[in-house]
Amino acid sequence: MWGLVAGIVSYPAFAWYGKRYLDGQGLERGFTRTVLVLLMATILSSTLAYGVSWMASTAQSRNSQAQLQKNGIAMLADELKCARDPASALCQSTAEQANALEQKLLSGLTGNHQNQ
């Protein structure tokens, strides 16, 4: 949350400083300069926001975020394997689980409409 606030508050300051810096460098005003200022401000404010978020988070939440990222990468790797060989046992099991979950979700939706 603090990272978001820091990024939003710092963006105009970085954009203002970027304009002044490019004025000092003698870069003519125009579309390219505007895009460069916006890009610089975006990168700097995003970096600041990430740093503030990292500093404000606990070690436990950083560990859980890292674990979620590892799980996401593993899921993508499994999907890539299924794209290469859709007939494998892993892919069939995943497809069955997905169908079961879909049926469960859809039956929950139809059940809610019947109660209303």
Side-chain angles (χ1 to χ4, degrees), residues 64-88:
S64 65
Q65 288 173 357
Q67 186 61 40
L68 284 173
Q69 185 178 12
K70 287 178 186 176
N71 290 346
I73 290 171
M75 288 174 54
L76 289 174
D78 289 344
E79 290 297 322
L80 182 59
K81 289 176 188 174
C82 286
R84 290 181 180 159
D85 184 18
S88 70

Side-chain angles (χ1 to χ4, degrees), residues 31-49:
F31 179 75
T32 304
R33 177 182 154 162
T34 302
V35 170
L36 185 59
V37 168
L38 293 175
L39 184 62
M40 285 179 8
T42 300
I43 290 171
L44 291 173
S45 66
S46 297
T47 303
L48 178 67

Side-chain angles (χ1 to χ4, degrees), residues 1-4 48-58 61-62:
M1 177 66 180
W2 289 112
L4 179 65
L48 178 67
Y50 176 77
V52 169
S53 292
W54 186 80
M55 295 285 288
S57 65
T58 63
S61 68
R62 286 193 295 268

